[in-house]
Amino acid sequence: MSDKAAAWKAFWAQQGPGNATGCLPARWQSVFAELEGAWRKFAAGLPENARVLDLATGDARVLHWLGEARADVTRTGVDLAPSLPPAPPGVSIHTGVAMEDLPFEDDGFDAVVSQFGVEYGEPPATAREVARTTTEDATVALIVHRGDGAILAHNLARAEQIRWVLDETGLIDATKAAVTEDTAPWATATASVAAVVDQGRQRYGDRSAGWEIPEAIRRSLVMGAQAGDSAAGVIGLLDRIESQARNELARIDSLAGACETADAREDFLAAFEAHDLALTDSRELHDAAGRLFAEMLELRRT
């Protein structure tokens, strides 16, 4: 399994049903409201009893929104991740499935949708499978990332902050060494970490990864001392913090690659046009603050 695949596997393993915020902070609720509105509008145009396939479905929130808007729709999702949060009621999920190699018969779906999904794969192979598994009058709706959008900008800033903590400060390695050499309550190590917590707050703010990660390390030391943990136990916590941080870096790297794929719009659309799926509509999506964060593309058979 690649680092990126492992990172997304770990991400979904940490999520509960319907509560993942993906690559955005939870406080950006207007983004999710805009996405939900876009899919509800799309649902209104589906034929009666439409069979819908969602590519890279994740927690299946798109299928959940479609089902709320249209109770008659049959909803199926696929995702490469080997495990996902429990599916919403009435949704069939197939895990460990690549969108480039779908396990479905020809002409089985009346619509294919994807939210921040197809651009993570290989568009030519995905387009072939979309064309194969859809009916002649099917609609394809894709919400894709934008390289000039707020989602990538937010995540690139987080990547800078994470690298500052992990690589520039060397905080985790230094803390492990100090804990190994000292005994609880590891006063020297805790004071050193607290200083980096303050640096991270001043440099990036108290909602930043530059503050969150050092603060998680500080709390691990304090709670470990209070619980009477051994140095090995605290080091295990630090290893988990580092693993989660590096997994986030891998996810951000894959996000940046997905933006590049979607931004190469001529090549991206040509992959679908090669299978007679042409762009019929597109619109930019903005949150309540006016920030561009995605684009919705609709395609139909020519």
Side-chain angles (χ1 to χ4, degrees):
M1 183 181 296
S2 69
D3 290 344
K4 292 179 184 179
W8 284 107
K9 175 184 177 182
F11 171 80
W12 286 117
Q14 297 164 10
Q15 306 304 311
N19 68 358
T21 58
C23 297
L24 281 176
R27 65 183 182 275
W28 288 23
Q29 288 301 317
S30 64
V31 166
F32 305 111
E34 179 71 13
L35 291 169
E36 180 177 357
W39 288 117
R40 285 181 175 271
K41 182 179 179 181
F42 173 77
L46 290 171
E48 186 177 356
N49 299 317
R51 299 159 297 173
V52 180
L53 174 64
D54 184 19
L55 304 178
T57 191
D59 63 359
R61 69 177 59 201
V62 171
L63 295 177
H64 171 69
W65 290 330
L66 293 178
E68 284 196 330
R70 290 284 301 274
D72 61 311
V73 170
T74 300
R75 296 162 293 157
T76 303
V78 298
D79 201 288
L80 188 60
S83 60
L84 294 169
V91 172
S92 174
I93 299 296
H94 301 256
T95 58
V97 172
M99 56 188 140
E100 298 89 347
D101 186 19
L102 297 173
F104 306 115
E105 296 181 355
D106 297 356
D107 309 320
F109 296 99
D110 304 297
V112 169
V113 300
S114 183
Q115 178 173 288
F116 306 138
V118 294
E119 64 269 43
Y120 284 90
E122 299 294 333
T126 300
R128 179 199 66 225
E129 286 295 270
V130 168
R132 181 184 65 78
T133 57
T134 52
T135 59
E136 284 296 320
D137 57 351
T139 301
V140 178
L142 313 171
I143 290 182
V144 297
H145 286 296
R146 287 273 296 256
D148 57 351
I151 293 178
L152 181 61
H154 167 77
N155 281 274
L156 290 179
R158 281 191 64 86
E160 176 189 335
Q161 297 156 19
I162 294 168
R163 291 190 178 99
W164 175 75
V165 175
L166 297 185
D167 302 328
E168 291 188 39
T169 71
L171 183 62
I172 290 181
D173 287 342
T175 304
K176 288 180 182 178
V179 167
T180 301
E181 295 170 2
D182 202 354
T183 56
W186 309 294
T188 301
T190 303
S192 296
V193 172
V196 178
V197 171
D198 288 339
Q199 291 176 32
R201 178 186 292 111
Q202 293 170 13
R203 186 165 181 166
Y204 299 113
D206 60 6
R207 290 185 172 182
S208 68
W211 173 83
E212 291 168 0
I213 299 172
E215 176 63 8
I217 295 170
R218 186 192 69 80
R219 292 180 184 180
S220 295
L221 291 172
V222 171
M223 291 188 294
Q226 292 174 344
D229 286 352
S230 65
V234 171
I235 288 172
L237 292 175
L238 300 181
D239 285 339
R240 285 195 287 276
I241 291 170
E242 181 173 15
S243 176
Q244 290 174 1
R246 295 209 179 274
N247 279 343
E248 184 171 357
L249 286 177
R251 294 196 302 272
I252 294 171
D253 184 47
S254 68
L255 167 62
C259 288
E260 290 182 5
T261 297
D263 284 350
R265 192 54 53 82
E266 184 174 338
D267 291 341
F268 184 82
L269 292 176
F272 289 90
E273 290 168 358
H275 298 280
D276 300 322
L277 290 166
L279 182 69
T280 58
D281 188 35
S282 68
R283 68 183 181 94
E284 295 180 342
L285 301 181
H286 299 79
D287 70 0
R291 293 173 291 205
L292 168 71
F293 68 88
E295 189 169 0
M296 188 168 192
L297 310 173
E298 293 192 29
L299 304 92
R300 284 187 179 274
R301 193 95 59 178
T302 55

